[in-house]
Amino acid sequence: MPLNRPTICVLGCGTMGIAIIRGTLDSIAGATSGQSDSSQSSQLVSEQEEQEDLLRPGGFIACVSHKDSAAKLSKTLGDQVKVLHGAAGNVQGVSEADVVLLCTKPQIAKAVLSAPGIREALKDKLLVSICAGVTIEQLQSWTTPTTIVIRAMPNTPCKIREGMTVLSCGPNTDIQSMAFTTKIFSTLGRCRTLDEKHLDAVTALAGSGPAFACVMLEALADGGVMMGLPRDVATELAAQVLQGAARMVLTTGAHPAAIKDSVTTPGGCTIAGLLTMEDGRIRSTLARTIQEATTVASTLGRDKK
């Protein structure tokens, strides 16, 4: 399936759909600015840059259910995005697009894709689904044999281009479709590919993870407040601590335990705090949190009887 400055239609454009659109638009704006600067020093554009330019989205269409939601979305996204609503809007959006991003709730994914006109409009197009628990096999059965299906599991930090996305490709995915999808989500943060069997765990760890991390952040800040720090200072310190520790792991490749040990001195305050955490069984609690969230994620795409 050739992709040349493709138009993307976002079906069910809620929080994640908005995050993806905004992040991509910001990335395009940054790339355009960078190209204009580099063009002053060189008039030649490499074949790779030309290919990347062709894969850059040519436009966005955002689809929502209701008229009032469409009005709010138009104010949020501005005139760079075409906003449609209702069943007719979904059909129009999918028909006009080259790539369709399915961002609906998992429970209504089948109904949305099975609506009159949608299946036909998806013929020979790329469908990227972020619906947790909805399998490639299900998506393929609701579309057409020539529809290319890719599952993606992004998370909300995509909104500030600090996201984590994992992709899993259907059996008929071509190189260009994979390259385009990877490019889109790579502009929003980190992106990698895994077998579909891992996506429920990815949903729990990366998709739900920001919520779990914020609980830990809030708890650390509460401790600071209890010890006399102003709330805003405690929150800033806790947020920067988590961000800094995470960046150390990602940047250095060091095991988290090694970073922990480097901070822990004999008889110091760190080891005292660590033992208190162990008393609270924080390791098993967090691990079980991911286990339980994974179990629930695996049920989200099932038909409700």
Side-chain angles (χ1 to χ4, degrees):
M1 181 190 71
L3 293 173
N4 188 337
R5 301 298 302 273
T7 296
I8 300 178
C9 172
V10 182
L11 285 178
C13 191
T15 301
M16 185 54 67
I18 293 172
I20 293 170
I21 291 175
R22 277 181 163 172
T24 306
L25 288 174
D26 288 346
S27 176
I28 291 173
T32 301
S33 175
Q35 286 180 358
S36 62
D37 292 339
S38 63
S39 64
Q40 295 176 2
S41 60
S42 175
Q43 295 181 347
L44 298 178
V45 180
S46 68
E47 291 184 7
Q48 182 179 0
E49 288 174 331
E50 289 179 349
Q51 292 174 356
E52 289 181 354
D53 185 63
L54 291 177
L55 287 177
R56 185 178 300 153
F60 283 97
I61 302 170
C63 297
V64 291
S65 299
H66 306 291
K67 188 175 181 179
D68 56 344
S69 298
K72 293 178 181 178
L73 192 59
S74 293
K75 292 181 179 179
T76 299
L77 296 176
D79 57 8
Q80 289 180 288
V81 180
K82 183 176 183 178
V83 179
L84 303 171
H85 70 276
N90 285 351
V91 176
Q92 181 184 343
V94 175
S95 299
E96 294 179 1
D98 304 292
V99 177
V100 177
L101 190 58
L102 184 65
C103 297
T104 64
K105 293 180 180 178
Q107 296 85 350
I108 65 170
K110 181 178 181 181
V112 170
L113 294 180
S114 301
I118 296 293
R119 181 184 176 91
E120 295 75 12
L122 282 169
K123 184 178 180 181
D124 299 325
K125 294 181 179 180
L126 170 60
L127 174 67
V128 181
S129 168
I130 69 166
C131 296
V134 181
T135 67
I136 291 173
E137 182 179 8
Q138 287 175 301
L139 294 164
Q140 203 74 68
S141 70
W142 301 334
T143 55
T144 74
T146 61
T147 302
I148 297 170
V149 175
I150 295 177
R151 281 186 66 186
M153 181 43 58
N155 59 12
T156 50
C158 285
K159 187 174 182 179
I160 59 169
R161 297 171 66 183
E162 287 288 349
M164 180 70 238
T165 303
V166 175
L167 305 177
S168 184
C169 301
N172 64 338
T173 303
D174 59 273
I175 294 176
Q176 192 178 40
S177 295
M178 183 60 194
F180 174 77
T181 307
T182 301
K183 178 178 175 63
I184 287 294
F185 287 102
S186 292
T187 63
L188 308 177
R190 290 175 174 260
C191 182
R192 67 182 304 161
T193 304
L194 289 175
D195 291 338
E196 188 182 18
K197 65 182 180 180
H198 296 300
L199 284 195
D200 290 332
V202 168
T203 300
L205 182 53
S208 300
F212 307 148
C214 281
V215 170
M216 291 186 283
L217 192 159
E218 185 181 23
L220 291 172
D222 282 346
V225 171
M226 183 176 70
M227 300 313 297
L229 291 176
R231 170 63 67 179
D232 60 335
V233 173
T235 300
E236 180 184 5
L237 266 59
Q240 184 61 35
V241 162
L242 290 180
Q243 177 176 254
R247 286 192 178 278
M248 287 182 71
V249 172
L250 293 173
T251 301
T252 68
H255 193 284
I259 296 175
K260 177 206 71 176
D261 288 348
S262 71
V263 183
T264 307
T265 56
C269 60
T270 303
I271 189 62
L274 287 171
L275 290 178
T276 301
M277 294 175 74
E278 297 294 352
D279 289 343
R281 301 177 63 184
I282 190 168
R283 290 173 184 266
S284 61
T285 298
L286 291 174
R288 294 293 187 187
T289 295
I290 302 304
Q291 181 183 36
E292 182 63 21
T294 300
T295 300
V296 174
S298 68
T299 69
L300 295 178
R302 297 178 186 174
D303 290 335
K304 299 294 186 291
K305 302 297 183 182

